[in-house]
PDB file of all heavy atoms in Angstrom:
ATOM      1  N   LYS A1391     -32.176 -94.666  80.444  1.00  0.00           N
ATOM      2  CA  LYS A1391     -32.778 -95.855  79.840  1.00  0.00           C
ATOM      3  C   LYS A1391     -32.941 -95.664  78.336  1.00  0.00           C
ATOM      4  O   LYS A1391     -32.656 -96.588  77.563  1.00  0.00           O
ATOM      5  CB  LYS A1391     -34.132 -96.149  80.487  1.00  0.00           C
ATOM      6  CG  LYS A1391     -34.790 -97.413  79.956  1.00  0.00           C
ATOM      7  CD  LYS A1391     -36.035 -97.758  80.719  1.00  0.00           C
ATOM      8  CE  LYS A1391     -36.621 -99.070  80.203  1.00  0.00           C
ATOM      9  NZ  LYS A1391     -37.752 -99.514  81.030  1.00  0.00           N
ATOM     10  N   HIS A1392     -33.389 -94.497  77.916  1.00  0.00           N
ATOM     11  CA  HIS A1392     -33.527 -94.216  76.481  1.00  0.00           C
ATOM     12  C   HIS A1392     -32.197 -94.390  75.767  1.00  0.00           C
ATOM     13  O   HIS A1392     -32.135 -94.975  74.687  1.00  0.00           O
ATOM     14  CB  HIS A1392     -34.052 -92.791  76.265  1.00  0.00           C
ATOM     15  CG  HIS A1392     -35.536 -92.709  76.185  1.00  0.00           C
ATOM     16  ND1 HIS A1392     -36.209 -92.450  75.035  1.00  0.00           N
ATOM     17  CD2 HIS A1392     -36.491 -92.885  77.136  1.00  0.00           C
ATOM     18  CE1 HIS A1392     -37.496 -92.456  75.263  1.00  0.00           C
ATOM     19  NE2 HIS A1392     -37.704 -92.711  76.539  1.00  0.00           N
ATOM     20  N   GLU A1393     -31.145 -93.883  76.382  1.00  0.00           N
ATOM     21  CA  GLU A1393     -29.824 -93.993  75.760  1.00  0.00           C
ATOM     22  C   GLU A1393     -29.336 -95.444  75.753  1.00  0.00           C
ATOM     23  O   GLU A1393     -28.855 -95.942  74.744  1.00  0.00           O
ATOM     24  CB  GLU A1393     -28.833 -93.101  76.510  1.00  0.00           C
ATOM     25  CG  GLU A1393     -27.477 -93.020  75.849  1.00  0.00           C
ATOM     26  CD  GLU A1393     -26.588 -92.009  76.550  1.00  0.00           C
ATOM     27  OE1 GLU A1393     -26.108 -92.320  77.667  1.00  0.00           O
ATOM     28  OE2 GLU A1393     -26.388 -90.924  75.990  1.00  0.00           O
ATOM     29  N   ARG A1394     -29.487 -96.131  76.882  1.00  0.00           N
ATOM     30  CA  ARG A1394     -28.994 -97.507  77.011  1.00  0.00           C
ATOM     31  C   ARG A1394     -29.697 -98.451  76.038  1.00  0.00           C
ATOM     32  O   ARG A1394     -29.073 -99.314  75.432  1.00  0.00           O
ATOM     33  CB  ARG A1394     -29.185 -97.985  78.461  1.00  0.00           C
ATOM     34  CG  ARG A1394     -28.613 -99.360  78.740  1.00  0.00           C
ATOM     35  CD  ARG A1394     -28.785 -99.783  80.203  1.00  0.00           C
ATOM     36  NE  ARG A1394     -30.156-100.183  80.474  1.00  0.00           N
ATOM     37  CZ  ARG A1394     -31.024 -99.514  81.218  1.00  0.00           C
ATOM     38  NH1 ARG A1394     -30.678 -98.386  81.807  1.00  0.00           N
ATOM     39  NH2 ARG A1394     -32.251 -99.965  81.396  1.00  0.00           N
ATOM     40  N   LEU A1395     -31.005 -98.269  75.855  1.00  0.00           N
ATOM     41  CA  LEU A1395     -31.786 -99.165  74.997  1.00  0.00           C
ATOM     42  C   LEU A1395     -31.964 -98.629  73.577  1.00  0.00           C
ATOM     43  O   LEU A1395     -32.639 -99.270  72.767  1.00  0.00           O
ATOM     44  CB  LEU A1395     -33.157 -99.416  75.626  1.00  0.00           C
ATOM     45  CG  LEU A1395     -33.149-100.093  76.997  1.00  0.00           C
ATOM     46  CD1 LEU A1395     -34.568-100.226  77.521  1.00  0.00           C
ATOM     47  CD2 LEU A1395     -32.454-101.440  76.937  1.00  0.00           C
ATOM     48  N   ASP A1396     -31.386 -97.486  73.284  1.00  0.00           N
ATOM     49  CA  ASP A1396     -31.507 -96.843  71.977  1.00  0.00           C
ATOM     50  C   ASP A1396     -32.982 -96.760  71.564  1.00  0.00           C
ATOM     51  O   ASP A1396     -33.385 -97.194  70.483  1.00  0.00           O
ATOM     52  CB  ASP A1396     -30.682 -97.593  70.929  1.00  0.00           C
ATOM     53  CG  ASP A1396     -30.406 -96.738  69.697  1.00  0.00           C
ATOM     54  OD1 ASP A1396     -30.694 -95.521  69.722  1.00  0.00           O
ATOM     55  OD2 ASP A1396     -29.908 -97.292  68.696  1.00  0.00           O
ATOM     56  N   VAL A1397     -33.760 -96.194  72.456  1.00  0.00           N
ATOM     57  CA  VAL A1397     -35.204 -96.105  72.258  1.00  0.00           C
ATOM     58  C   VAL A1397     -35.553 -95.335  70.990  1.00  0.00           C
ATOM     59  O   VAL A1397     -36.482 -95.702  70.266  1.00  0.00           O
ATOM     60  CB  VAL A1397     -35.889 -95.491  73.502  1.00  0.00           C
ATOM     61  CG1 VAL A1397     -37.359 -95.226  73.247  1.00  0.00           C
ATOM     62  CG2 VAL A1397     -35.720 -96.410  74.707  1.00  0.00           C
ATOM     63  N   SER A1398     -34.812 -94.298  70.689  1.00  0.00           N
ATOM     64  CA  SER A1398     -35.150 -93.508  69.498  1.00  0.00           C
ATOM     65  C   SER A1398     -35.086 -94.367  68.226  1.00  0.00           C
ATOM     66  O   SER A1398     -35.945 -94.246  67.358  1.00  0.00           O
ATOM     67  CB  SER A1398     -34.247 -92.288  69.376  1.00  0.00           C
ATOM     68  OG  SER A1398     -32.891 -92.667  69.265  1.00  0.00           O
ATOM     69  N   ALA A1399     -34.102 -95.233  68.128  1.00  0.00           N
ATOM     70  CA  ALA A1399     -34.009 -96.111  66.954  1.00  0.00           C
ATOM     71  C   ALA A1399     -35.203 -97.064  66.899  1.00  0.00           C
ATOM     72  O   ALA A1399     -35.749 -97.332  65.819  1.00  0.00           O
ATOM     73  CB  ALA A1399     -32.706 -96.898  66.975  1.00  0.00           C
ATOM     74  N   HIS A1400     -35.618 -97.568  68.054  1.00  0.00           N
ATOM     75  CA  HIS A1400     -36.781 -98.455  68.116  1.00  0.00           C
ATOM     76  C   HIS A1400     -38.035 -97.723  67.650  1.00  0.00           C
ATOM     77  O   HIS A1400     -38.822 -98.255  66.857  1.00  0.00           O
ATOM     78  CB  HIS A1400     -36.959 -98.969  69.553  1.00  0.00           C
ATOM     79  CG  HIS A1400     -38.186 -99.788  69.761  1.00  0.00           C
ATOM     80  ND1 HIS A1400     -38.271-101.110  69.394  1.00  0.00           N
ATOM     81  CD2 HIS A1400     -39.394 -99.470  70.292  1.00  0.00           C
ATOM     82  CE1 HIS A1400     -39.469-101.577  69.688  1.00  0.00           C
ATOM     83  NE2 HIS A1400     -40.169-100.595  70.240  1.00  0.00           N
ATOM     84  N   LEU A1401     -38.226 -96.495  68.124  1.00  0.00           N
ATOM     85  CA  LEU A1401     -39.415 -95.721  67.757  1.00  0.00           C
ATOM     86  C   LEU A1401     -39.432 -95.416  66.265  1.00  0.00           C
ATOM     87  O   LEU A1401     -40.487 -95.496  65.622  1.00  0.00           O
ATOM     88  CB  LEU A1401     -39.478 -94.423  68.559  1.00  0.00           C
ATOM     89  CG  LEU A1401     -39.544 -94.563  70.081  1.00  0.00           C
ATOM     90  CD1 LEU A1401     -39.604 -93.187  70.737  1.00  0.00           C
ATOM     91  CD2 LEU A1401     -40.702 -95.430  70.519  1.00  0.00           C
ATOM     92  N   VAL A1402     -38.288 -95.089  65.703  1.00  0.00           N
ATOM     93  CA  VAL A1402     -38.205 -94.816  64.269  1.00  0.00           C
ATOM     94  C   VAL A1402     -38.501 -96.086  63.478  1.00  0.00           C
ATOM     95  O   VAL A1402     -39.272 -96.068  62.508  1.00  0.00           O
ATOM     96  CB  VAL A1402     -36.830 -94.232  63.897  1.00  0.00           C
ATOM     97  CG1 VAL A1402     -36.612 -94.232  62.395  1.00  0.00           C
ATOM     98  CG2 VAL A1402     -36.682 -92.819  64.463  1.00  0.00           C
ATOM     99  N   ARG A1403     -37.929 -97.213  63.886  1.00  0.00           N
ATOM    100  CA  ARG A1403     -38.138 -98.476  63.164  1.00  0.00           C
ATOM    101  C   ARG A1403     -39.608 -98.890  63.197  1.00  0.00           C
ATOM    102  O   ARG A1403     -40.187 -99.243  62.163  1.00  0.00           O
ATOM    103  CB  ARG A1403     -37.257 -99.572  63.778  1.00  0.00           C
ATOM    104  CG  ARG A1403     -37.279-100.884  63.017  1.00  0.00           C
ATOM    105  CD  ARG A1403     -36.247-101.876  63.538  1.00  0.00           C
ATOM    106  NE  ARG A1403     -36.365-102.149  64.953  1.00  0.00           N
ATOM    107  CZ  ARG A1403     -37.263-102.986  65.502  1.00  0.00           C
ATOM    108  NH1 ARG A1403     -38.105-103.628  64.720  1.00  0.00           N
ATOM    109  NH2 ARG A1403     -37.293-103.183  66.795  1.00  0.00           N
ATOM    110  N   GLN A1404     -40.236 -98.808  64.359  1.00  0.00           N
ATOM    111  CA  GLN A1404     -41.643 -99.188  64.465  1.00  0.00           C
ATOM    112  C   GLN A1404     -42.526 -98.209  63.679  1.00  0.00           C
ATOM    113  O   GLN A1404     -43.473 -98.616  63.012  1.00  0.00           O
ATOM    114  CB  GLN A1404     -42.093 -99.239  65.932  1.00  0.00           C
ATOM    115  CG  GLN A1404     -41.346-100.257  66.777  1.00  0.00           C
ATOM    116  CD  GLN A1404     -41.635-101.693  66.418  1.00  0.00           C
ATOM    117  OE1 GLN A1404     -41.723-102.050  65.244  1.00  0.00           O
ATOM    118  NE2 GLN A1404     -41.752-102.538  67.410  1.00  0.00           N
ATOM    119  N   GLY A1405     -42.221 -96.918  63.767  1.00  0.00           N
ATOM    120  CA  GLY A1405     -42.992 -95.927  63.036  1.00  0.00           C
ATOM    121  C   GLY A1405     -42.897 -96.112  61.535  1.00  0.00           C
ATOM    122  O   GLY A1405     -43.896 -95.993  60.812  1.00  0.00           O
ATOM    123  N   LEU A1406     -41.688 -96.394  61.038  1.00  0.00           N
ATOM    124  CA  LEU A1406     -41.518 -96.643  59.601  1.00  0.00           C
ATOM    125  C   LEU A1406     -42.288 -97.882  59.160  1.00  0.00           C
ATOM    126  O   LEU A1406     -42.885 -97.892  58.080  1.00  0.00           O
ATOM    127  CB  LEU A1406     -40.033 -96.795  59.258  1.00  0.00           C
ATOM    128  CG  LEU A1406     -39.207 -95.516  59.225  1.00  0.00           C
ATOM    129  CD1 LEU A1406     -37.724 -95.832  59.066  1.00  0.00           C
ATOM    130  CD2 LEU A1406     -39.687 -94.596  58.109  1.00  0.00           C
ATOM    131  N   ALA A1407     -42.281 -98.912  59.987  1.00  0.00           N
ATOM    132  CA  ALA A1407     -43.015-100.135  59.650  1.00  0.00           C
ATOM    133  C   ALA A1407     -44.511 -99.841  59.516  1.00  0.00           C
ATOM    134  O   ALA A1407     -45.173-100.328  58.585  1.00  0.00           O
ATOM    135  CB  ALA A1407     -42.776-101.213  60.704  1.00  0.00           C
ATOM    136  N   VAL A1408     -45.031 -99.030  60.416  1.00  0.00           N
ATOM    137  CA  VAL A1408     -46.453 -98.686  60.358  1.00  0.00           C
ATOM    138  C   VAL A1408     -46.740 -97.800  59.153  1.00  0.00           C
ATOM    139  O   VAL A1408     -47.721 -98.030  58.426  1.00  0.00           O
ATOM    140  CB  VAL A1408     -46.912 -98.033  61.678  1.00  0.00           C
ATOM    141  CG1 VAL A1408     -48.288 -97.391  61.534  1.00  0.00           C
ATOM    142  CG2 VAL A1408     -46.919 -99.071  62.796  1.00  0.00           C
ATOM    143  N   GLN A1409     -45.902 -96.806  58.902  1.00  0.00           N
ATOM    144  CA  GLN A1409     -46.107 -95.955  57.726  1.00  0.00           C
ATOM    145  C   GLN A1409     -46.094 -96.778  56.446  1.00  0.00           C
ATOM    146  O   GLN A1409     -46.961 -96.602  55.580  1.00  0.00           O
ATOM    147  CB  GLN A1409     -45.032 -94.867  57.661  1.00  0.00           C
ATOM    148  CG  GLN A1409     -45.204 -93.762  58.662  1.00  0.00           C
ATOM    149  CD  GLN A1409     -44.139 -92.687  58.528  1.00  0.00           C
ATOM    150  OE1 GLN A1409     -43.070 -92.893  57.944  1.00  0.00           O
ATOM    151  NE2 GLN A1409     -44.425 -91.522  59.077  1.00  0.00           N
ATOM    152  N   ASP A1410     -45.123 -97.676  56.331  1.00  0.00           N
ATOM    153  CA  ASP A1410     -45.054 -98.542  55.149  1.00  0.00           C
ATOM    154  C   ASP A1410     -46.287 -99.441  55.056  1.00  0.00           C
ATOM    155  O   ASP A1410     -46.812 -99.686  53.966  1.00  0.00           O
ATOM    156  CB  ASP A1410     -43.782 -99.396  55.180  1.00  0.00           C
ATOM    157  CG  ASP A1410     -42.515 -98.585  54.990  1.00  0.00           C
ATOM    158  OD1 ASP A1410     -42.600 -97.409  54.564  1.00  0.00           O
ATOM    159  OD2 ASP A1410     -41.430 -99.128  55.288  1.00  0.00           O
ATOM    160  N   GLY A1411     -46.742 -99.960  56.199  1.00  0.00           N
ATOM    161  CA  GLY A1411     -47.921-100.821  56.219  1.00  0.00           C
ATOM    162  C   GLY A1411     -49.188-100.084  55.797  1.00  0.00           C
ATOM    163  O   GLY A1411     -50.012-100.630  55.060  1.00  0.00           O
ATOM    164  N   TRP A1412     -49.346 -98.846  56.274  1.00  0.00           N
ATOM    165  CA  TRP A1412     -50.503 -98.045  55.848  1.00  0.00           C
ATOM    166  C   TRP A1412     -50.482 -97.832  54.339  1.00  0.00           C
ATOM    167  O   TRP A1412     -51.488 -98.011  53.670  1.00  0.00           O
ATOM    168  CB  TRP A1412     -50.496 -96.684  56.516  1.00  0.00           C
ATOM    169  CG  TRP A1412     -50.855 -96.641  57.968  1.00  0.00           C
ATOM    170  CD1 TRP A1412     -51.588 -97.554  58.679  1.00  0.00           C
ATOM    171  CD2 TRP A1412     -50.504 -95.609  58.884  1.00  0.00           C
ATOM    172  NE1 TRP A1412     -51.701 -97.137  59.983  1.00  0.00           N
ATOM    173  CE2 TRP A1412     -51.055 -95.946  60.139  1.00  0.00           C
ATOM    174  CE3 TRP A1412     -49.776 -94.422  58.770  1.00  0.00           C
ATOM    175  CZ2 TRP A1412     -50.898 -95.139  61.263  1.00  0.00           C
ATOM    176  CZ3 TRP A1412     -49.624 -93.623  59.893  1.00  0.00           C
ATOM    177  CH2 TRP A1412     -50.185 -93.983  61.120  1.00  0.00           C
ATOM    178  N   ALA A1413     -49.311 -97.429  53.828  1.00  0.00           N
ATOM    179  CA  ALA A1413     -49.191 -97.147  52.393  1.00  0.00           C
ATOM    180  C   ALA A1413     -49.462 -98.408  51.569  1.00  0.00           C
ATOM    181  O   ALA A1413     -50.146 -98.349  50.542  1.00  0.00           O
ATOM    182  CB  ALA A1413     -47.812 -96.571  52.082  1.00  0.00           C
TER     183      ALA A1413
END
Side-chain angles (χ1 to χ4, degrees):
K1391 183 173 183 174
H1392 269 251
E1393 187 174 74
R1394 184 178 76 250
L1395 299 178
D1396 199 9
V1397 173
S1398 60
H1400 175 79
L1401 300 180
V1402 167
R1403 186 172 55 79
Q1404 299 292 41
L1406 285 172
V1408 167
Q1409 286 182 341
D1410 291 346
W1412 287 337

